[in-house]
Amino acid sequence: MMRAVAIGWITAAAALAQVPELPAGLGGQEPEKAGEPTLPSGLGGQEPGLPSGLGGGDEAGQHEQQADPADEPEAGWAERWRFGGFFDVRAGARTQRDPYERDASVGEARLRLEAEGAFDSLIARLAGDLIADNLQRGWGPDLETGEGCFDLREANVAISPWSTVDLKVGRQALTWGTGDLLFINDLFPKDWVSFLTGRDTEYLKAPSDAIRAGFFTDLANLEIVYTPRFDPDRFVRGERLSYFNPILGRRAGRDAIQDPLVRDRWFEDDEVAMRLSRNVGGYELAAYGYWGRWKSPAGFDMTAGRGTFPRLAVYGASARTQLAGGIANVEVGYYDSRQDADGDDALIDNSQLRGLIGFERDLPELAHGLTAGMQYYFEAMMGHDEYLSTLPSGGTARDEVRHVVTARLSKLLLEQRLRLSLFAFYSPSDSDAYLRPSASYAIDDSWTAAVGANVFVGRDQHTFFGQFENDSNVFLSLRMSF
Amino acid sequence: MKRPVQSSLFHLVLLAMATTPAFAQEKTAPTEPTVEQIVAAANRVGYYQGRDGRAQVKMVIVDGQGRERVREMTILRRDQPAAAAGETAGGAKVEADDSYCGEQRFYVRFKRPADVDKTTFLVWKRPGEDDSRWLYLPALDLVKPISAADKRSSFVGSNFYYEDVSGRHIAADTHELIETTKDYYVIRSVPKDAKSAEFAAYKMWIHRASSVVVKVEYRDDKDEVYRTYEALAVDQVQGYPTVTKAKMTDLRSKGHTIVTYTDVAYDLDLPEEIFTERYLRQAPRRYMR
């Protein structure tokens, strides 16, 4: 009898243990196993002890610009506009003497101020740098070259008049094409001086004053950029970097500052650039067209003794896709030098065919935060025989084909605070090279310090990188963003 | 004898009560869910709720020395194609098949810190294959596809990996239900390809009622816990249990990241077009707040 009772009791107890409503004590289960997490608030468990206003403790010290969207009635002035910018101090010096230049390669303080206003149908952006530059020509600002005490970086308005059309009008940075620091179909103005003297990579792109229109359809996307007044590159003139001067037949700098004939007539000296793109089966395909002028002086006016920007048309195409865990790309472009179609005008650069093929990949197999890329690029001069036949005596001849390979290596360390980077250009045909090593460290969310170098080596003084051999420099910078 | 009879009767009544249907489990599931179903439900609740969604995300990264960094971003997410059949016209969702774990698109636009303001990141997630990723750098107006080979590297310097943000493919691991407690299913998972991740195994506590993953412990090949994820707060948003605060801790470096999600919304009818190059350059403002 007693045994039957015991068995019955045990069975009953076991059955009761399956019923969730009964307290955990009944049925012999332990209340909580070791390691079992407490339920977060919201799942019926104990409060994990958060301060009221979830995450309130995290927000101490943050300066929020925007109002809480939940109770934003009508956006007032303070909510429409957002401001930001940075303060950047930069100093650099040559690593060797240059007879035609100062020892300092860069020495400046920049205060960038940015404002963005978001209205119902448009967004307005304004950004500019106030500059104190040790090496500047004068304090007066020049809106085109960015010299002086002020450089206007952005002044534009973006609207979408129809659902398939985007327009951006005014001063803006523009980029397309698939190359990594190599440009074939990107004919937008570039600031080579900033690039070669150690300013932040952002400054490689000089701003354009243009109208950008994008038409987006299921068939393809078409982007057209109309620049009503020619925007040349901010190219090397000799004020800050010495270069090879073909007239003098040697390197020159501040003793022979380039002062080309300016092309500045509105709507007559204009440029049109176009990109038609479409994704087909995982390939990003694009076709490009450009009608304008060579962006750096590619011609010479004997009467005036000054450089010129001859007319240029570029036709090209690119394809890009994911491949083997990385990105592979190929791009070609034909540079039609309109004023020297036969190639026999000694004073105007000949037409060219340019191409590149590249591949970039993260390498998690080796380390996290490690990226590597390689490119092969060539420039083939059209009409090389004509070029040689009209070359002035004593002139150094350019090769028919210039080959360049590039390599990029970058590594993130210390929880992505430290970024080490190396970009190298090497031309086996020119026997010259350009190395860009750099390290940047995020001290905190606002402050970043960087150090880097621009190293030029070359067998000859007349080749593209070799000419800058006396310009090799190192630089330091400190930036506070707000 | 009176007492023995009474106690017998008591036992009998008790036994009867225990076995009558009225006292049977409230959840009359004919069978317990399989481990695959549990994991699929957790995956759905973690990454696939609603057809699409938006959240304002803030990550506070604290390193071993107590230094703080903050990342603020807006994330838009869309499931490709729109979620499984069974949706009613009113948007009330009939339980999707939990085995759904298809492609998704993510649009991540940064606000803070100041030097990455407007930097945008686009991901087309493909479970089981390589994702596609693009980065937009506003100062250069540059849209750049980037390699997606590294899924387990830090997302913007935080303790979360890219794979934690977009979701690890549930078929990448073998799952085993090792324990069922009052509140949780406890699952142990081992990667099928040991090289696909730095962990040897991980242990998940999945809340039984809501399928929310409440805790994950990552174990190395010495079976020591080196990294943990904890869901700290869960809110009901439009009927979907949503983790609104979570913490990822690196036990080796003693650093952690706390992520908070605010202004969460689902089923916004985000157009597929948003997740393309056009909107990297110009944010889809209508959907961002």
Side-chain angles (χ1 to χ4, degrees):
Chain A
M1 180 65 160
M2 282 307 288
R3 178 140 47 121
V5 164
I7 290 168
W9 181 234
I10 290 163
T11 317
L16 287 169
Q18 303 295 330
V19 178
E21 289 78 12
L22 292 173
L26 208 67
Q29 270 189 321
E30 304 100 273
E32 258 182 37
K33 304 279 173 69
E36 180 166 302
T38 53
L39 285 171
S41 67
L43 289 181
Q46 304 151 359
E47 293 299 313
L50 291 171
S52 65
L54 207 64
D58 303 326
E59 266 141 353
Q62 283 296 318
H63 304 287
E64 291 292 337
Q65 287 273 359
Q66 292 107 329
D68 180 355
D71 46 59
E72 186 182 350
E74 178 64 47
W77 190 89
E79 282 84 29
R80 280 193 197 284
W81 287 91
R82 289 179 57 197
F83 300 91
F86 58 77
F87 183 66
D88 184 294
V89 174
R90 205 160 284 256
R94 285 183 157 68
T95 52
Q96 64 289 310
R97 299 238 88 184
D98 185 328
Y100 304 108
E101 299 289 349
R102 292 165 290 199
D103 289 335
S105 49
V106 68
E108 64 184 29
R110 274 180 191 251
L111 176 63
R112 160 74 60 88
L113 297 170
E114 295 177 356
E116 180 176 281
F119 304 89
D120 285 336
S121 50
L122 62 81
I123 296 182
R125 278 190 61 83
L126 202 59
D129 290 356
L130 291 168
I131 310 166
D133 185 349
N134 204 18
L135 306 176
Q136 69 195 6
R137 204 188 307 154
W139 284 96
D142 182 330
L143 284 181
E144 288 307 307
T145 62
E147 292 272 336
C149 65
F150 182 67
D151 185 9
L152 184 65
R153 302 296 302 177
E154 279 192 84
N156 60 67
V157 166
I159 57 174
S160 291
W162 297 278
S163 64
T164 51
V165 179
D166 286 342
L167 275 179
K168 196 166 184 185
V169 182
R171 178 161 286 212
Q172 56 193 292
L174 294 162
T175 304
W176 62 43
T178 65
D180 185 5
L181 299 184
L182 288 171
F183 305 97
I184 296 181
N185 290 294
D186 176 334
L187 274 300
F188 302 115
K190 294 173 207 61
D191 185 344
W192 299 109
V193 175
S194 292
F195 184 64
L196 301 175
T197 55
R199 288 199 182 112
D200 189 84
T201 324
E202 166 192 344
Y203 290 89
L204 170 58
K205 284 307 191 121
S208 294
D209 296 321
I211 301 167
R212 181 197 195 136
F215 306 91
F216 302 92
T217 70
D218 289 333
L219 193 60
N221 295 338
L222 176 65
E223 290 158 285
I224 298 179
V225 176
Y226 178 65
T227 308
R229 189 168 78 157
F230 177 62
D231 278 330
D233 288 342
R234 295 182 181 178
F235 52 90
V236 173
R237 292 170 180 265
E239 281 168 312
R240 295 171 189 249
L241 293 161
S242 57
Y243 65 99
F244 180 75
N245 187 313
I247 311 283
L248 299 171
R250 59 163 172 83
R251 287 196 185 96
R254 289 161 68 78
D255 63 318
I257 293 176
Q258 297 225 42
D259 180 30
L261 287 169
V262 164
R263 285 275 167 197
D264 60 357
R265 296 172 303 177
W266 285 88
F267 305 108
E268 286 185 61
D269 296 320
D270 55 5
E271 307 173 78
V272 178
M274 176 218 88
R275 174 177 179 247
L276 186 67
S277 63
R278 185 184 158 84
N279 280 14
V280 175
Y283 287 81
E284 183 191 288
L285 302 178
Y288 307 85
Y290 171 79
W291 298 269
R293 296 178 172 278
W294 289 91
K295 305 294 279 193
S296 291
F300 194 77
D301 181 323
M302 282 303 255
T303 336
R306 295 166 72 181
T308 62
F309 301 93
R311 280 185 291 117
L312 175 72
V314 180
Y315 310 100
S318 70
R320 188 154 58 176
T321 188
Q322 269 184 286
L323 187 68
I327 308 291
N329 62 294
V330 64
E331 189 168 338
V332 290
Y334 180 72
Y335 280 54
D336 180 12
S337 192
R338 310 291 299 279
Q339 290 172 246
D340 182 23
D342 295 329
D344 54 6
D345 186 336
L347 300 173
I348 296 179
D349 278 4
N350 282 15
S351 301
Q352 290 177 8
L353 180 67
R354 296 188 183 183
L356 76 82
I357 184 164
F359 183 69
E360 181 178 279
R361 190 179 190 282
D362 284 346
L363 298 172
E365 300 85 351
L366 294 177
H368 287 299
L370 180 64
T371 308
M374 286 200 70
Q375 298 177 110
Y376 164 71
Y377 164 88
F378 73 87
E379 285 170 2
M381 187 193 294
M382 305 286 103
H384 192 246
D385 292 336
E386 290 80 352
Y387 161 76
L388 288 175
S389 68
T390 56
L391 198 61
S393 59
T396 45
R398 281 160 64 172
D399 290 339
E400 183 173 9
V401 184
R402 173 174 173 247
H403 305 272
V404 179
V405 293
T406 74
R408 175 185 283 281
L409 208 59
S410 78
K411 179 82 176 76
L412 295 168
L413 294 160
L414 303 181
E415 292 155 348
Q416 298 195 354
R417 279 180 202 270
L418 179 63
R419 185 196 164 90
L420 299 177
S421 169
L422 172 66
F423 193 95
F425 297 86
Y426 168 59
S427 173
S429 57
D430 278 351
S431 299
D432 62 5
Y434 170 30
L435 303 168
R436 294 172 55 86
S438 71
S440 87
Y441 181 69
I443 298 163
D444 63 20
D445 281 342
S446 305
W447 292 86
T448 305
V451 63
N454 294 286
V455 181
F456 303 95
V457 285
R459 187 189 60 196
D460 301 312
Q461 60 173 344
H462 64 270
T463 56
F464 187 79
F465 297 124
Q467 66 179 318
F468 299 122
E469 211 174 35
N470 289 337
D471 296 314
S472 294
N473 59 79
V474 293
F475 63 89
L476 286 171
S477 75
L478 188 61
R479 175 177 289 209
M480 191 206 55
S481 304
F482 50 84
Chain B
M1 293 183 357
K2 232 184 181 187
R3 198 177 278 178
V5 171
Q6 272 182 343
S7 45
S8 303
L9 198 62
F10 176 66
H11 295 313
L12 271 168
V13 167
L14 220 52
L15 199 60
M17 281 165 63
T19 50
T20 48
F23 278 79
Q25 290 183 36
E26 187 161 85
K27 282 204 172 104
T28 45
T31 47
E32 279 291 307
T34 65
V35 66
E36 283 77 22
Q37 288 173 325
I38 297 166
V39 170
N43 188 41
R44 176 177 55 78
V45 167
Y47 296 103
Y48 288 90
Q49 294 197 105
R51 288 185 310 277
D52 55 42
R54 171 204 69 220
Q56 311 298 338
V57 180
K58 179 170 170 179
M59 288 185 170
V60 178
I61 307 164
V62 182
D63 71 5
Q65 284 91 40
R67 294 177 295 183
E68 272 194 18
R69 290 180 288 167
V70 177
R71 306 280 179 266
E72 282 184 34
M73 68 207 85
T74 305
I75 298 189
L76 300 176
R77 177 211 112 217
R78 186 179 193 271
D79 293 351
Q80 303 276 113
E87 247 176 16
T88 67
K93 207 161 180 296
V94 174
E95 271 309 295
D97 177 359
D98 281 339
S99 65
Y100 177 76
C101 51
E103 295 189 8
Q104 291 182 303
R105 304 214 167 146
F106 296 87
Y107 178 99
V108 183
R109 192 161 180 102
F110 288 90
K111 288 187 278 195
R112 284 204 178 281
D115 61 351
V116 294
D117 186 27
K118 295 195 180 38
T119 301
T120 311
F121 188 62
L122 181 65
V123 180
W124 289 11
K125 167 184 162 186
R126 297 192 191 89
E129 292 169 44
D130 271 342
D131 297 344
S132 294
R133 290 186 202 161
W134 291 263
L135 184 63
Y136 172 63
L137 299 171
L140 293 165
D141 186 47
L142 175 62
V143 173
K144 201 177 136 62
I146 53 182
S147 169
D150 199 348
K151 290 192 165 134
R152 297 198 68 82
S153 70
S154 159
F155 181 69
V156 300
S158 73
N159 296 99
F160 289 89
Y161 297 145
Y162 284 95
E163 203 173 60
D164 298 321
V165 176
S166 62
R168 182 174 170 85
H169 192 31
I170 55 178
D173 307 310
T174 321
H175 308 282
E176 185 194 339
L177 177 64
I178 57 175
E179 204 183 331
T180 303
T181 72
K182 168 167 150 316
D183 295 315
Y184 302 107
Y185 294 117
V186 185
I187 311 263
R188 183 184 159 87
S189 307
V190 176
K192 290 176 182 166
D193 174 8
K195 290 201 299 290
S196 75
E198 79 290 345
F199 54 78
Y202 60 96
K203 191 165 158 187
M204 283 194 284
W205 280 259
I206 299 175
H207 188 237
R208 290 176 62 179
S210 64
S211 295
V212 170
V213 176
V214 172
K215 184 170 176 179
V216 183
E217 279 178 353
Y218 294 89
R219 287 157 184 272
D220 60 18
D221 43 26
K222 298 187 197 66
D223 207 38
E224 278 169 24
V225 180
Y226 68 93
R227 186 172 180 252
T228 62
Y229 164 87
E230 295 155 87
L232 300 177
V234 176
D235 287 344
Q236 293 289 328
V237 177
Q238 293 167 240
Y240 299 113
T242 305
V243 174
T244 51
K245 184 160 172 162
K247 181 175 180 181
M248 184 72 83
T249 310
D250 183 339
L251 297 165
R252 288 179 187 145
S253 72
K254 314 254 187 314
H256 68 261
T257 300
I258 295 186
V259 60
T260 47
Y261 299 85
T262 51
D263 189 27
V264 180
Y266 296 97
D267 296 319
L268 300 163
D269 262 327
L270 294 177
E272 187 174 349
E273 209 206 353
I274 285 182
F275 302 86
T276 59
E277 180 178 328
R278 175 184 183 188
Y279 290 95
L280 287 174
R281 295 205 156 93
Q282 215 158 297
R285 290 159 61 201
R286 261 180 75 193
Y287 304 102
M288 299 286 280
R289 341 194 100 253

